[in-house]
Amino acid sequence: MSDRPKTLRDLGESLYKWVVDRLERTPFLSFKFTIPQQYLSPYGYLGTLTTVTFIVLGISGAFLMFYYRPDVELAWLSVKEIEEEVPFGFIMRNLHYHASNLMVLLAVAHLYYQYFSGRYKIKNEVLWVTGILLGILTVLEAYTGYDLILNQRALLAINIGTGLTFAAPVIGPSVAPILIGGGLFDLIVRFYALHVFIIPMIMLVLMAFHIPRFLVLDIPIVLVLVGGIFVAGGMFPVHLGLRFDPSLPEITVPEWYLTAIYAFIRTGTERFFSGALLPLLFTIMFLIIPFVDKSRKLGWRDRPFFTALGISSIILIIFTTLWGFYVDFSQPTPFEQLYIEPTIFYGSITALTLLGFFITYRFITKPSPPRRPTPAKPFVLSSKGLLVATTVVFALMVLTTLLAFQTYFANMQNVSMFNMGMSLILFGLLLHLYRHGISRVAKQPSTTQQPEVKA
Amino acid sequence: MENRRKALKFILAAGTLVAIAPLATGRDFFYRKETQELPRQKIANLKELSEPGSYVNFVYPKTGDQKIDSDPFRQFILIKTKDNKLRAFSRVCVHLWCLPSYFPQRGELICPCHGSVYREEDGVGIEGPVLYQTYPTNALPMVELEVEESTGDVYAVGIDGILGYGRNWRDRTPDSMVKRV
């Protein structure tokens, strides 16, 4: 430090240093937190992005609790009120809904990236197992969440969920009444408690065992992600759905992460076997992977069996998920519209997964011509280009922000939400251009300042 | 170079503000609309308040929802005082939030829980626990009224003070709460 008189900036710096020094007494400094100085492929830190989405969900969910009423009479009405009456309520609810979808999606992507790159080895077994458990809890959390609306779709999910619990051997008859209590009036409160406290708390505990000591957080990508949630909320607002009415036959399908299980249940084979045991076996397969795959090889090409297994599991997920959505409206009754012929269903999924497995296996084991990696030419903007790009992005940001305000006060919350998202995405881009530009400016040797030390 | 660095930093700082600014509308989420922009609501007619000492209890702002309308913070009382003046007070005692009632003979509002007494002229506490509370937490909030001369309808248009907390009663005379239109 120079011997200049103390400025506000110096004060800030010394305060920062003081706090960081004291943080040594806490566990926080044992995490190596990296904020990359250049673009980094997000595949490597999909877990961090999932956590960011979890935080978005925590914040928006906590605020939704201000208005939501876990009461069998009021639940649907209070969600309707949030959607239509409460200022910013539409945005808050869609933020929560779309973040929940994104979290499930990111968790699955995170799982498969780690799977194909063999990260469950090298002493990462505990991280892997807690990760799988966190994935299951993420789906359960989303499931209890959309049940709280108490629309027709929620009741379908509640019916299936409690039915599966009842059908579970040995523990079922004693566990399911814990969920149902004396009826829907108890169930809604219990699902609420599970959704806002019990499951998130278990997730936080598991996260403590899942979080690695080396973390990467790329802020531009985070901004694009959060902005993307806003954009999705503005473009595809979630439907409130019809209020649950026990006298109305309505054909609905569950949320997309449950339609795969729904397809199994629709075959009409024994409920627990198709709706719980088979998905459970699928999950157990993932749980025991690190204890089965004992080879020291990490790359997907070097582990053809497990790569093929992973690919065929993706095929199974996509195929059953899509089939769960399909409803044959040409049939006369609701039952026939939803019924899936079990022989066709089980036959085709078995054939498809086996086919997928063998094709992938053959494809990988076939020696491929060695590829010469072409060195990627780093894309560098000229200083003029950088200036133009930054100005354009900034101008677009100003435009979207103004539009966001204008549409918000014109009570068009969906358009406003879209524009807020666009502004955040553009801000991510601006931040990326900034670090691009700053690193270039710093690399110039002609500056009068001391040369910066760069790795 | 230094200028370019500065320009980049400036755009980044401005961009941060621009990106975060629209999210600030989220503050609206935390307030109930009808308690922020109080409506003009008919609460009584002067015919109901012909005698000094007569009074009308009313709900403000009224929603039509039984549960919300029975909330203590929406309970108010309109009084014709001994001096033939119109006064409207919140019924929430600023001591511990019980609901005081009006005693026409004494010209006072008296709380049933701990015996705080408020005078009908301006709602300032003169006896009981409320006497030990400091200004401005020792007076009942008042309702701003409009009286239509032609019809005799009395409207509530706003609230002076913070419900269950107090009112800056030295700043505004109780007569200024009643407007004739």
Side-chain angles (χ1 to χ4, degrees):
Chain A
M1 278 286 128
S2 59
D3 50 353
R4 282 178 298 164
K6 281 242 170 188
T7 60
L8 207 62
R9 194 197 167 91
D10 291 338
L11 266 173
E13 269 171 17
S14 51
L15 181 70
Y16 175 76
K17 197 173 168 301
W18 187 90
V19 172
V20 170
D21 277 351
R22 266 83 199 153
L23 281 181
E24 266 175 25
R25 293 282 183 273
T26 71
F28 290 106
L29 289 189
S30 57
F31 291 111
K32 276 272 174 287
F33 215 70
T34 315
I35 294 179
Q37 291 300 305
Q38 58 200 19
Y39 172 76
L40 204 65
S41 164
Y43 294 123
Y45 54 93
L46 284 168
T48 322
L49 296 181
T50 316
T51 315
V52 168
T53 322
F54 181 74
I55 293 166
V56 171
L57 282 164
I59 295 170
S60 56
F63 289 151
L64 286 172
M65 286 165 73
F66 283 12
Y67 289 100
Y68 175 74
R69 288 167 210 277
D71 179 287
V72 73
E73 292 289 326
L74 300 172
W76 187 85
L77 288 171
S78 68
V79 179
K80 188 180 161 71
E81 189 197 12
I82 292 170
E83 178 116 349
E84 292 169 5
E85 309 285 332
V86 178
F88 209 81
F90 172 92
I91 297 175
M92 202 65 93
R93 165 159 144 76
N94 276 283
L95 187 61
H96 196 66
Y97 172 77
H98 285 277
S100 78
N101 284 337
L102 183 69
M103 187 170 167
V104 177
L105 207 64
L106 281 174
V108 173
H110 178 49
L111 166 86
Y112 274 110
Y113 183 77
Q114 302 294 322
Y115 177 88
F116 287 123
S117 51
R119 302 286 178 86
Y120 47 79
K121 302 178 181 188
I122 44 175
K123 284 193 188 169
N124 280 339
E125 286 87 349
V126 170
L127 263 65
W128 177 261
V129 170
T130 49
I132 298 290
L133 296 177
L134 275 168
I136 298 169
L137 286 174
T138 304
V139 174
L140 283 179
E141 178 72 355
Y143 163 77
T144 49
Y146 87 83
D147 290 348
L148 294 179
I149 304 164
L150 273 189
N151 54 14
Q152 295 279 46
R153 181 189 241 198
L155 257 290
L156 171 81
I158 291 171
N159 171 306
I160 291 174
T162 52
L164 285 177
T165 319
F166 261 122
V170 188
I171 57 165
S174 53
V175 170
I178 298 177
L179 294 176
I180 300 173
L184 280 183
F185 71 97
D186 264 350
L187 178 136
I188 188 76
V189 186
R190 292 172 188 207
F191 270 45
Y192 186 59
L194 282 168
H195 182 71
V196 304
F197 190 79
I198 299 170
I199 299 176
M201 282 302 138
I202 300 173
M203 286 176 81
L204 282 176
V205 172
L206 282 174
M207 275 181 194
F209 290 93
H210 185 70
I211 193 167
R213 289 215 304 123
F214 299 96
L215 288 167
V216 179
L217 183 73
D218 192 26
I219 294 169
I221 290 281
V222 167
L223 284 167
V224 169
L225 203 73
V226 177
I229 301 173
F230 274 82
V231 168
M235 286 176 77
F236 313 106
V238 51
H239 292 290
L240 184 60
L242 290 175
R243 188 179 180 174
F244 166 63
D245 181 348
S247 63
L248 254 183
E250 211 217 348
I251 293 182
T252 52
V253 288
E255 286 289 348
W256 60 272
Y257 35 81
L258 293 174
T259 50
I261 295 178
Y262 191 47
F264 279 96
I265 291 170
R266 282 167 54 185
T267 58
T269 40
E270 203 283 314
R271 206 200 291 235
F272 183 77
F273 171 78
S274 55
L277 196 63
L278 289 180
L280 201 67
L281 284 176
F282 186 76
T283 322
I284 287 174
M285 178 193 94
F286 276 106
L287 267 179
I288 61 169
I289 280 288
F291 311 103
V292 177
D293 180 11
K294 289 297 219 181
S295 72
R296 289 181 160 274
K297 287 166 179 154
L298 296 180
W300 59 272
R301 275 182 178 280
D302 305 323
R303 300 176 294 129
F305 178 81
F306 290 99
T307 303
L309 193 68
I311 295 285
S312 52
S313 75
I314 293 178
I315 291 172
L316 180 68
I317 290 175
I318 292 175
F319 190 65
T320 48
T321 298
L322 291 179
W323 205 329
F325 270 114
Y326 175 71
V327 180
D328 184 6
F329 284 111
S330 63
Q331 300 293 330
T333 64
F335 175 76
E336 284 164 295
Q337 286 173 4
L338 286 171
Y339 181 68
I340 295 174
E341 181 61 39
T343 43
I344 297 176
F345 181 75
Y346 286 109
S348 52
I349 60 170
T350 314
L352 256 172
T353 39
L354 284 178
L355 205 67
F357 182 88
F358 286 115
I359 290 176
T360 321
Y361 193 85
R362 278 297 298 274
F363 184 75
I364 297 170
T365 43
K366 209 194 269 176
S368 56
R371 281 193 304 167
R372 198 171 293 147
T374 45
K377 214 182 260 177
F379 175 73
V380 181
L381 269 176
S382 68
S383 5
K384 198 180 170 192
L386 186 76
L387 201 70
V388 172
T390 326
T391 317
V392 167
V393 170
F394 183 69
L396 284 173
M397 275 182 75
V398 172
L399 181 73
T400 49
T401 294
L402 288 176
L403 276 172
F405 273 117
Q406 195 253 332
T407 47
Y408 179 80
F409 292 117
N411 213 7
M412 292 188 279
Q413 289 196 55
N414 52 344
V415 188
S416 181
M417 188 175 189
F418 175 84
N419 280 302
M420 286 176 192
M422 287 309 283
S423 187
L424 284 174
I425 290 175
L426 287 165
F427 182 46
L429 191 60
L430 185 78
L431 208 61
H432 178 66
L433 286 170
Y434 170 81
R435 69 178 170 195
H436 189 84
I438 280 292
S439 64
R440 268 171 55 78
V441 174
K443 268 175 201 152
Q444 301 287 335
S446 61
T447 45
T448 48
Q449 285 186 320
Q450 294 171 320
E452 277 187 46
V453 185
K454 276 247 161 193
Chain B
M1 271 308 140
E2 196 54 30
N3 278 343
R4 197 164 301 156
R5 228 181 143 86
K6 269 186 185 158
L8 270 175
K9 283 195 171 167
F10 175 76
I11 291 188
L12 182 74
T16 313
L17 287 179
V18 171
I20 293 170
L23 302 182
T25 53
R27 76 176 281 287
D28 294 354
F29 185 80
F30 304 104
Y31 302 92
R32 282 246 175 231
K33 230 192 265 170
E34 79 261 17
T35 58
Q36 291 294 297
E37 302 149 15
L38 289 166
R40 185 175 191 266
Q41 178 190 317
K42 187 190 164 184
I43 50 173
N45 191 284
L46 285 180
K47 282 177 201 152
E48 302 165 58
L49 298 155
S50 48
E51 294 294 310
S54 51
Y55 64 94
V56 176
N57 287 322
F58 66 97
V59 177
Y60 180 70
K62 199 177 173 104
T63 59
D65 185 321
Q66 180 93 52
K67 195 181 256 176
I68 298 172
D69 286 351
S70 61
D71 193 275
F73 281 86
R74 291 183 194 240
Q75 308 308 312
F76 293 85
I77 186 165
L78 176 66
I79 297 169
K80 183 84 159 228
T81 66
K82 283 178 185 165
D83 309 335
N84 263 324
K85 283 173 177 167
L86 276 184
R87 296 287 182 260
F89 300 107
S90 158
R91 284 191 61 205
V92 181
C93 180
V94 293
H95 175 226
L96 283 172
W97 294 1
C98 290
L99 294 179
S101 335
Y102 179 56
F103 288 79
Q105 263 74 36
R106 297 179 56 171
E108 287 163 346
L109 289 111
I110 301 171
C111 181
C113 295
H114 309 95
S116 287
V117 177
Y118 302 88
R119 55 190 189 210
E120 62 174 5
E121 167 61 20
D122 52 6
V124 174
I126 49 171
E127 248 179 74
V130 69
L131 200 58
Y132 299 96
Q133 296 185 182
T134 52
Y135 178 85
T137 63
N138 58 351
L140 291 174
M142 288 185 75
V143 179
E144 294 162 359
L145 302 172
E146 277 181 12
V147 182
E148 256 177 32
E149 299 275 13
S150 50
T151 56
D153 287 340
V154 183
Y155 289 87
V157 292
I159 294 171
D160 184 53
I162 298 165
L163 301 179
Y165 181 76
R167 177 167 69 88
N168 286 311
W169 52 275
R170 282 173 197 153
D171 294 354
R172 270 186 85 176
T173 62
D175 281 333
S176 72
M177 305 286 175
V178 188
K179 272 199 191 90
R180 298 189 181 273
V181 289

